[in-house]
Structures are given as C-alpha cells and as structure tokens.
Amino acid sequence: VVVRVAGKRFSAEPQLIVQGFHGERADQTAGIVELPPSEITIQGRKIPCQVLQLTLTGATNKTVSKIFLNKEIEPFILRRETLKTDLTGNTVLNRTTVEVTALDVPCRIAGEILNTAHATVTEIFPKGKSVTRTVMSMEVPGGVVCQTTREEDREGNLVRRSSLELVDYGLYPESRRGWLFRRHLFLRRVYSLPTPAEPEP
C-alpha cells in the first residue's frame, strides 16, 4: 500500500487483523437474531430483504448492526445500519449507515469490464462526520475497486480527503503483478483567527 501525503509517497506497513465470522474481535462476543423481512429501494427498484440484527459486545462498548440481505443480488448486503454505544446504551459513540445506491454498473478494471455496485458510507461521530463513496465488485480481492472519503468537523469544515484505487489484481502471481492499491491522502488544517484584543482605555 502506498500513501501519498502532500505530494510525497510513503509505503505503509501491512496490518494483520484477526476477526471472527461476524467481524468480532478477540475481546468481543457476537450474537445474531433474525428480524421480520423488509424491503429497500435502489434506483426505483423495490428489493425484498432478509433482515438480521448483529450485536457485538466488548468490555466497554456495544455495537448493534441491522443488516438488509438479499442472497440473489450482489453485493448481497444492500444496507447496514450500525450504532455503537457504551454498555448502558445511553451514550452514542458512533453511528454508521452503509447503503448501496446503484447496481449492475459496468466498469473497466485492469483492462477488463466487470460488474460493479456503488455504495455510500456515512459515519457520524462526536467530532464530526465522514462520507465515503465506494465502487465495489465481487470479482476483485477485497471487493473494493475505488473509493473517496471526505471528513468534516462538527461545523462542516473539511478536515481530510482521501482516495483509494485498485490498480491491478490477479489470481496467479507469475502472470500478473498481484493486486495493488494506490491511496491518496489530502489533509487540511482548520485554523481559527485569534480574538482581537480589547483596546486599552
């Protein structure tokens, strides 16, 4: 992974993350229940969905996700609403919504035309929010073709912009370079003007 900051390129070290089947960490317990079925609308198309509620409980917080699933339509999970709170549920730490906005969009990836879906991820946290727009395909490693993220503070000021782009991928290392990502990171520091001093009498 290559990170670009202020025009400079940096190589980022790979990270190893161990998770359970439902995405839970080693210090979390997972529980899942099925809710009544529902339907969502994408581009005017009503899609029936199985609805699951996933709860991940850790030492200090709890994450509850409502998942809208259709096993016939890629990327299968068509909407996810997640709320992270303290263990009592009284303090909201993070609220995230992932919604697929377009289906069956052809896209050229590494010289091939693949079928993709578009999604928007909105994350609201105490210091502001971030919005990520993603192009996904089940035919590439990790499922992400490209994405852009815009992060704002509570006043709506831009704090950071970043982009991630898949530039190559392959199943056979001897015939292709393997799948690579190119990441761009743009930072903007938000300054506040000092308060003018009161004139001396």
Side-chain angles (χ1 to χ4, degrees):
V1 177
V2 177
V3 179
R4 180 180 297 173
V5 179
K8 298 181 180 180
R9 297 167 62 89
F10 300 90
S11 296
E13 291 296 326
Q15 298 180 5
L16 176 63
I17 300 175
V18 179
Q19 295 180 322
F21 181 78
H22 298 295
E24 70 273 17
R25 302 189 308 268
D27 62 339
Q28 291 179 316
T29 58
I32 190 166
V33 296
E34 185 167 358
L35 302 179
S38 182
E39 68 176 17
I40 62 174
T41 302
I42 301 176
Q43 296 176 301
R45 175 184 176 187
K46 295 186 180 298
I47 301 175
C49 292
Q50 178 185 9
V51 183
L52 304 174
Q53 180 172 287
L54 172 65
T55 302
L56 304 180
T57 304
T60 60
N61 57 67
K62 177 174 63 175
T63 302
V64 179
S65 297
K66 191 175 181 181
I67 302 167
F68 295 78
L69 172 70
N70 186 298
K71 298 179 181 180
E72 305 297 327
I73 301 176
E74 296 182 1
F76 308 122
I77 295 178
L78 304 181
R79 184 178 176 89
R80 180 192 292 260
E81 302 167 356
T82 301
L83 184 66
K84 183 177 181 180
T85 66
D86 61 3
L87 291 179
T88 65
N90 296 325
T91 302
V92 176
L93 305 176
N94 184 290
R95 187 188 303 270
T96 304
T97 302
V98 182
E99 56 181 340
V100 174
T101 56
L103 297 168
D104 302 323
V105 181
C107 180
R108 182 179 295 276
I109 305 169
E112 302 179 47
I113 301 296
L114 301 181
N115 199 40
T116 67
H118 294 184
T120 299
V121 182
T122 303
E123 183 178 4
I124 301 174
F125 39 87
K127 293 185 178 181
K129 73 172 184 177
S130 68
V131 177
T132 300
R133 305 189 188 282
T134 304
V135 178
M136 304 178 294
S137 174
M138 303 299 292
E139 300 181 62
V140 302
V144 177
V145 176
C146 62
Q147 66 182 31
T148 60
T149 300
R150 177 185 175 92
E151 184 177 332
E152 301 175 350
D153 62 15
R154 283 182 291 184
E155 286 71 39
N157 299 311
L158 176 64
V159 175
R160 178 171 57 183
R161 291 182 300 160
S162 64
S163 66
L164 179 69
E165 178 187 356
L166 176 67
V167 296
D168 200 2
Y169 72 98
L171 296 176
Y172 305 101
E174 66 274 9
S175 61
R176 302 191 64 157
R177 292 178 296 163
W179 56 279
L180 303 171
F181 279 106
R182 180 166 58 218
R183 183 187 294 271
H184 307 283
L185 184 65
F186 309 92
L187 299 176
R188 174 182 294 178
R189 180 171 295 174
V190 180
Y191 294 94
S192 58
L193 295 176
T195 303
E198 293 291 336
E200 296 183 1

